[in-house]
């Protein structure tokens, strides 16, 4: 309800419930009487469109460009653009991707050459052997593998930050990814170790998804991932079994991608 006279209109929602003083936007308590305001939260749910044919084209494009090395960054940017165009928001927000392959080419190519991580690109890596190690040079080979892994993680962080920064939303929210390099390294190592437990990796993968979402933020907003470990487990196992047949791979990728996106929300405090 608004309190008004001939000269001004003041909405009651802009007045402190404790002392009726006029308030500025963004305050969590009244500067006059100390009244604490209850923060309202707006939640936007996400979904993903896309078709099986589009997924098939994306997979083939990524495979061919990865083998050719040089075009991989431009192919990746094209897939990012397709992905954002197919995002659906419950509040009507529309997403677009403004990134170009040339902006990230160095880091994408370096990440692919060093073998990639589980985050990029789609589990693919072509690990170029820059050196040949004799049988008794196992220690040197292990050192090279460790360095390649650390370099791939550094490239992956650069790629994630670039991707998030280049996603433009019609709601004008500007997101950034503030996850740290060593955080990513830690999650990659933990996921690798948990594979030894046969099924425990599914819970660390879900935790990794939550970390990635939580570190993607805008002013007053953050992504949240709500999927659970057991949901990851049976979906990955089923996906692996179906992928043995080759033909269902595009359906499997689309199905899993839709599940991940459907478990992401944008939580915004108003």
């Amino acid at each position: 309800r608004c309190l008004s006279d001939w000269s001004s209109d003041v909405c009651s929602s802009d007045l402190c419930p404790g002392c009726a003083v006029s308030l500025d936007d963004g305050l969590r308590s009244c500067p006059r009487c100390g009244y604490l305001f209850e923060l309202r939260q707006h939640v936007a749910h996400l979904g993903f469109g896309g078709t099986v044919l589009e997924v098939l084209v994306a997979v083939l494009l990524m495979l061919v460009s990865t083998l050719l090395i040089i075009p991989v960054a431009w192919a990746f940017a094209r897939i990012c653009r397709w992905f954002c165009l197919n995002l659906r928001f419950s509040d009507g927000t529309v997403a677009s991707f403004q990134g170009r392959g040339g902006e990230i080419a160095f880091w994408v190519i370096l990440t692919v050459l060093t073998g990639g991580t589980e985050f990029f690109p789609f589990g693919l890596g072509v690990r170029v052997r820059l050196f040949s190690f004799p049988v008794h040079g196992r220690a040197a080979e292990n050192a090279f593998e460790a360095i390649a892994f650390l370099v791939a993680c550094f490239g992956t962080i650069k790629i994630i930050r670039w991707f998030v920064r280049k996603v433009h939303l019609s709601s004008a929210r500007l997101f950034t990814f503030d996850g740290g390099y060593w955080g990513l390294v830690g999650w990659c190592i933990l996921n690798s170790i948990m594979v030894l437990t046969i099924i425990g990796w599914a819970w660390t993968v879900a935790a990794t998804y939550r970390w990635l979402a939580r570190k993607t933020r805008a002013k007053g907003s953050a992504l949240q991932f709500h999927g659970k470990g057991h949901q990851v487990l049976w979906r990955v196992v089923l996906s692996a079994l179906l992928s043995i047949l080759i033909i269902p791979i595009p359906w499997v990728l689309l199905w899993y991608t839709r599940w991940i996106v459907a478990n992401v929300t944008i939580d915004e405090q108003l």
Side-chain angles (χ1 to χ4, degrees):
R1 192 173 62 87
C2 288
L3 310 175
S4 61
D5 54 27
W6 292 105
S7 60
S8 66
D9 293 312
V10 180
C11 290
S12 59
S13 60
D14 296 330
L15 303 179
C16 172
C19 63
V21 68
S22 181
L23 300 171
D24 295 328
D25 292 337
L27 294 176
R28 295 194 175 191
S29 63
C30 177
R32 178 176 175 181
C33 69
Y35 183 92
L36 295 176
F37 307 125
E38 179 181 354
L39 292 176
R40 294 177 294 136
Q41 194 170 51
H42 170 74
V43 178
H45 297 269
L46 274 65
F48 186 74
T51 66
V52 172
L53 180 59
E54 291 172 342
V55 173
L56 177 60
V57 171
V59 170
L60 293 176
L61 179 62
M62 203 65 198
L63 282 171
V64 172
S65 63
T66 299
L67 293 175
L68 297 175
I69 306 297
I70 300 300
V72 67
W74 286 266
F76 181 65
R78 173 68 182 84
I79 292 172
C80 290
R81 206 152 32 243
W82 163 77
F83 178 82
C84 290
L85 287 175
N86 280 282
L87 287 175
R88 304 290 182 263
F89 299 79
S90 61
D91 61 359
T93 297
V94 177
S96 62
F97 185 75
Q98 305 298 323
R100 299 182 180 276
E103 299 167 343
I104 200 69
F106 174 78
W107 294 111
V108 172
I109 293 172
L110 183 64
T111 303
V112 172
L113 291 178
T114 51
T117 66
E118 59 249 51
F119 302 105
F120 176 86
F122 301 110
L124 297 175
V126 294
R127 185 66 57 81
V128 173
R129 296 289 180 175
L130 300 179
F131 308 98
S132 60
F133 299 95
V135 176
H136 60 274
R138 187 65 181 173
E141 184 172 359
N142 289 338
F144 173 77
E145 294 286 340
I147 293 172
F149 165 73
L150 293 175
V151 172
C153 286
F154 191 78
T156 300
I157 277 286
K158 292 286 188 180
I159 294 166
I160 293 174
R161 288 175 178 169
W162 168 79
F163 170 77
V164 173
R165 193 172 62 250
K166 294 298 180 176
V167 175
H168 288 203
L169 302 179
S170 59
S171 60
R173 283 175 294 210
L174 298 176
F175 281 88
T176 57
F177 180 77
D178 60 7
Y181 168 71
W182 290 111
L184 180 69
V185 170
W187 283 113
C188 289
I189 293 174
L190 182 60
N191 287 329
S192 299
I193 293 173
M194 291 303 290
V195 170
L196 301 176
T197 66
I198 309 301
I199 63 172
W201 56 267
W203 279 262
T204 59
V205 167
T208 303
Y209 290 161
R210 284 193 292 275
W211 176 77
L212 289 168
R214 195 169 57 249
K215 294 296 183 178
T216 304
R217 302 169 180 167
K219 184 178 181 181
S221 303
L223 300 188
Q224 298 292 335
F225 179 76
H226 305 280
K228 308 297 182 183
H230 68 278
Q231 297 171 326
V232 172
L233 179 63
W234 76 263
R235 282 176 171 82
V236 171
V237 171
L238 181 59
S239 298
L241 293 174
L242 291 174
S243 296
I244 294 174
L245 303 174
I246 306 299
I247 293 177
I249 288 177
W251 281 269
V252 168
L253 289 175
L254 182 59
W255 171 64
Y256 191 74
T257 299
R258 283 177 173 171
W259 174 75
I260 291 178
V261 174
N263 275 279
V264 175
T265 59
I266 300 177
D267 293 7
E268 179 179 7
Q269 290 183 333
L270 302 177

